[in-house]
Amino acid sequence: MIPELGHYALMLALGLALIQGTMPIVGTRTNDPALMSIAVPAALAQFVFVAIAFCALAECYVASDFSVLNVFENSNSQMPLIYRLTSIWGNHEGSMMLWISILAFFGAMVAIFGGNLPAKLKANALAVQAWIAAAFELFILVTSNPFIRIAEAPFEGRDLNPILQDPGLAFHPPLLYLGYVGFSITFSFAIAALLEGRIDAAWARWVRPWVLGAWMCLTLGIAGGSYWAYYELGWGGFWFWDPVENASLMPWLAGTALLHSAVVMEKREALKVWTILLAILAFSLSLIGTFLVRSGVLTSVHAFATDPRRGIFILAILVAFIGGALSLFAWRAPLLKQGGLFAPISREGALVFNNLFLVSACATVLVGTLYPLALEALTGDKISVGPPFFNATFGPLFIPLMIVMPFGPLMAWKRGDLLGAAQRLLAAAMLAAVAVAAAFAMTRGGPVLAPFGVGIAVFVMAGAVTDIVERTMVLRLPLRATLRRALGLPRSAWGTAFAHFGVGVSLLGIIGATAWGSERLAEVKPGESLEIAHYRLTFDGLFNRTGPNYRDVMGHFTVHRSSGELIGAMEPSRRTFPAREMATTEAALMTRGASQIYVSLGDPNKDGSVPVRLYFKPHVLLIWIGAMFMFFGGALSLSDRRLRVGAPRPAKAKAAQPKPSLQAAE
Amino acid sequence: MTRKQRRLVLIGGSLGVLAVAVALMLNAFRDSIVFFNSPSDVVEKHVGPGTRIRLGGMVKSGSIEHGDGMRIRFEVTDGNAEIPVVYQGVVPDLFREGQGVVAEGTLDKSGVFDADTILAKHDETYMPKEVADALKKSGHWKDDYAQRAALPVTGANK
């Protein structure tokens, strides 16, 4: 009964989406307020029905209703409740349901909080949201229906893939989808602006929280996925340039560019056309990302042959939205009025520089990801494009970006003083030089250029601090005055500083872990020891342990410093899941400051020895700590007061105050 | 600076950066593309020693030999041709006789494939897609490999 309720609710949502997608646009064309006002209640109703559908599916999972095919294939009654819930989105159909649930939710938020949006903009934007929702709902209903039932219900399900039974990966899809769908809102607003033929700073101010929110969620989602790969896959790597990873990185790069470009639009009403293009690009990449991961295209282009309907539908959606958006852009963009002038050396110039390099880096990732697919489709040759390609293209493009990053916030709008900014960054540059020297002195081995990378990372971090120092005039005013300035600084200034600082921290972590990490591969018998960096690990033996739906074979290692001092113990394991006959490696991590010792086991041999992978990763935790800084910086910016104040309304009566009144948007 | 000049400067700068990006990509393509080959491909295309390739197929049952120091030697087959492989290190979870494997490395002069990476990413049926395609091409594809892997292999039509 419940699955049928959910199924029906989904169909109703599709109907509502079709209405929401057509009536308001007709209303904007014919200037009919009644038709335009359909958008808000339609969006709210659509959210209600999509939520009903999602909750119905969730109830099937929680109750372990194996008569639903989707639950049978992906769940198991022995699983803990939390994983029964997260397995809703651990498969294709369920994750599509999550996608449209978030889409409908965000549409409802625009409907509720968009009280002071111009009526036409709101109607158009909600209509475009509805097109996206309708396309996805149709896709789900036709090709990926989670509510399909099995005639004779099996007693037990096939279990969630053991790799996914993990807190990190359980919450990775929702975070990423919050990011992807957040960009759908900016896309809708961009298309709405094109449909209307006008765009202004108020548009940018309205869109900015959505860009920030989506970017923040994507940052966390990507960082979380990277950390999951690090501790779960057993090889100590945190980024493999896997097509699935690239699929999430590309929207992030475009989103970062959009974030910076929207700042220029909001402050100076410049770069309008470019901002709209970026909004279209960010969402297009989100769509490509979702479908690359979810359609099986990445494993083989010939996966289409097994289920062509899905692949063709996906391609149709991509062509319709990306092609349609770009065509609309080409046709209507010239209508948008030109914005403010600025000199090439200025804050706008720095932001344009930022955008250029981010977009070029994004293009290299796109080429590297799609090239094998294209080649296989055209010639049948199977190639792999891996880290060597991306390191040779992505890395060099990021270096200029990092070097210019501290200059941006220090330059004035419209016409900047490069020499002045450079003078203010002198302290930061000297700190960076000291760091380079220290890196050379304190490390052995590793690539020759790595200490310079450390210098760049320190320069970025010191540059962010310099920005705050300059704004609060820390060393030039008495402490009380400085504190007052600091508290009075707009939160977005603090947000910028924290986020840029976080980028430097992550960069430092990446360089440390990649350049100066060490590795030991060996087979150990009980009693034997392995040395790595300045630690010694002694293998004490294997023992067994049972969990709710798995069996563990654990190895016990005692960790000493090379000087003999006892530090602690580590227990890596091999975990077997009987339901799926799969084994996973559970690595053991010991944190020493920001570095980690990493141990993972292979299959025990018959003679009692066990193959062991032992790594020492210096400063590796900085990678994810940096991402936290970026997220925190984004949150600070999001809470900035001016983003909660809506566009001014013209004075209602002449007798009343002559100033336009500001109204809070939420 | 007029609007038109500024726009030209911006466009020129953008094209410059894009050109740099394209140059980096073309350079990287030259050096770092790795082709996938099945054992039959290696024989037919006469892949020379020293070329870095990916070799994929089934681990031939009974061919795994453990050396000391985590050295392992096995044979990769697609039903028509076989290539011996040596690898030093810890093998991934799904590496087993009778199941699919993809190894990356170079052939040495004696025709033995010296692998430096054994790839672990498979789908639920323990068969990498490229290996499945290669097996289909060589006419030795059977749908029940995952179950049959547990059984001893007898008979000529494996």
Side-chain angles (χ1 to χ4, degrees), chain A residues 235 242 339 341-342 356 360 367 371 382-384 389 393 521-523 574 580-583 585 613, chain B residues 3 6 10 14 17 21 24-25 28-29 32-36 54 70 90 93 121 124 126 129-130 133:
Chain A
W235 300 86
D242 191 81
L341 272 177
F342 55 86
L356 265 179
S360 307
V367 168
Y371 184 70
K382 294 184 214 300
I383 62 166
S384 69
F389 172 83
T393 53
L521 298 171
E523 289 180 335
R574 299 269 302 162
R580 279 213 182 186
E581 286 173 32
M582 266 183 72
T585 316
R613 285 189 294 265
Chain B
R3 230 185 255 279
R6 179 201 62 152
L10 277 180
S14 318
V17 172
L24 284 172
M25 279 194 262
F29 271 136
S32 55
I33 300 287
V34 176
F35 279 87
F36 175 87
R54 283 193 176 187
M70 306 226 293
V90 183
D93 297 342
K121 242 180 347 133
E124 285 141 26
Y126 308 134
K129 278 290 195 301
E130 304 107 321
D133 289 342

Side-chain angles (χ1 to χ4, degrees), chain B:
Chain B
M1 187 174 286
T2 67
R3 230 185 255 279
K4 190 166 173 186
Q5 281 177 328
R6 179 201 62 152
R7 199 178 304 165
L8 283 177
V9 165
L10 277 180
I11 293 182
S14 318
L15 285 178
V17 172
L18 276 175
V20 166
V22 167
L24 284 172
M25 279 194 262
L26 289 176
N27 184 47
F29 271 136
R30 231 205 332 259
D31 297 330
S32 55
I33 300 287
V34 176
F35 279 87
F36 175 87
N37 296 283
S38 65
S40 313
D41 289 334
V42 172
V43 167
E44 283 163 29
K45 293 182 199 171
H46 302 290
V47 177
T51 325
R52 190 173 176 79
I53 57 165
R54 283 193 176 187
L55 178 65
M58 298 283 290
V59 179
K60 182 171 168 187
S61 299
S63 67
I64 296 186
E65 294 165 15
H66 292 273
D68 41 54
M70 306 226 293
R71 245 180 276 272
I72 184 171
R73 187 199 159 94
F74 58 95
E75 291 195 2
V76 175
T77 175
D78 61 355
N80 285 340
E82 286 161 12
I83 307 269
V85 178
V86 292
Y87 172 69
Q88 173 158 22
V90 183
V91 290
D93 297 342
L94 298 175
F95 177 80
R96 204 158 296 174
E97 287 181 358
Q99 291 196 350
V101 69
V102 176
E104 195 169 315
T106 55
L107 273 176
D108 70 14
K109 293 188 198 34
S110 59
V112 175
F113 189 74
D114 189 6
D116 52 53
T117 320
I118 298 211
L119 296 167
K121 242 180 347 133
H122 300 169
D123 63 14
E124 285 141 26
T125 58
Y126 308 134
M127 181 71 66
K129 278 290 195 301
E130 304 107 321
V131 173
D133 289 342
L135 287 172
K136 283 178 187 154
K137 213 169 70 160
S138 69
H140 287 265
W141 171 248
K142 291 180 181 50
D143 285 337
D144 52 353
Y145 260 137
Q147 283 102 308
R148 276 171 131 243
L151 303 171
V153 175
T154 53
N157 55 329
K158 175 179 171 286

